[in-house]
Amino acid sequence: SESAWLGMQWNFKYKVTPALQWLETNHASLPEDSFIMFSDAFDTGLIGDASNMVQHFLDYDCEMLGMSTVADWPPNKEFKLFESEKYPWSKCRPHLSSGAWMARVADALSYLRIWEADWTEKEGGMTETEKTRGWDDQMAFRRLHKRFYPRFKVDTLAKIWTRSDS
């Protein structure tokens, strides 16, 4: 689960734990009913005017929304089928990417705690690939999506985000 990037060792949990720790420390200072949008920014871009982001999120009628991608990554037959069944209109972007997500702060805290527990407690059950290569944030995010759908959905209509490589 570690890879070299610009000479640093990267662990996928770094996407989850720092955001969770910041929210746990600062959520009370945020306005009630605040939203948080997270992006790892490596290959993520916003669609259109950011002032419409909250309305686009609300259009999905969910607690957590993740960015979509064309890639079934890491490859997983179970999640590929689930995503294709839930989003049949999305022939080119039905899969969930952990590269960006959005939620109300209270919901983000809940989902991030579960996402982190997937890593710390192996609560979600590791795939064969993860048993060999280590925990994967994207696979864990896809586990959460399946577990909590329809409260957790994918931006399959690309109302909020796009990936620069898709």
Side-chain angles (χ1 to χ4, degrees):
S1 64
E2 292 188 7
S3 59
W5 179 74
L6 295 179
M8 302 180 307
Q9 290 299 315
W10 175 259
N11 189 306
F12 292 117
K13 71 181 184 222
Y14 298 157
K15 245 186 185 174
V16 182
T17 303
L20 175 59
Q21 289 172 342
W22 188 89
L23 280 173
E24 287 177 333
T25 302
N26 297 291
H27 75 278
S29 67
L30 300 172
E32 191 174 332
D33 211 27
S34 290
F35 292 84
I36 184 167
M37 192 281 293
F38 173 91
S39 168
D40 66 16
F42 292 119
D43 54 5
T44 305
L46 291 175
I47 301 282
D49 187 345
S51 67
N52 297 319
M53 188 183 308
V54 170
Q55 184 56 54
H56 290 315
F57 170 84
L58 294 172
D59 290 344
Y60 279 100
D61 190 26
C62 62
E63 297 171 348
M64 179 79 140
L65 184 68
M67 183 173 72
S68 64
T69 182
V70 66
D72 170 31
W73 185 258
N76 183 284
K77 290 178 187 176
E78 175 188 352
F79 295 132
K80 180 179 182 179
L81 178 62
F82 173 78
E83 292 159 347
S84 296
E85 287 175 352
K86 297 302 176 191
Y87 309 108
W89 57 85
S90 185
K91 301 300 180 197
C92 62
R93 301 177 57 92
H95 305 295
L96 176 64
S97 169
S98 63
W101 54 264
M102 185 173 177
R104 285 183 175 84
V105 169
D107 292 327
L109 273 165
S110 297
Y111 284 100
L112 285 171
R113 286 177 180 136
I114 297 165
W115 197 8
E116 184 178 59
D118 187 277
W119 169 68
T120 59
E121 302 166 16
K122 307 299 185 252
E123 190 175 283
M126 294 179 79
T127 63
E128 290 304 313
T129 302
E130 287 175 300
K131 289 175 185 173
T132 305
R133 298 178 65 197
W135 184 82
D136 187 279
D137 67 310
Q138 180 113 336
M139 189 64 75
F141 210 43
R142 292 174 86 185
R143 277 192 286 272
L144 261 67
H145 172 236
K146 184 175 182 193
R147 179 176 167 192
F148 291 104
Y149 179 87
R151 293 180 295 162
F152 184 157
K153 293 182 180 174
V154 177
D155 181 22
T156 57
L157 301 174
K159 289 184 172 191
I160 299 176
W161 305 282
T162 188
R163 283 182 49 105
S164 62
D165 64 344
S166 57

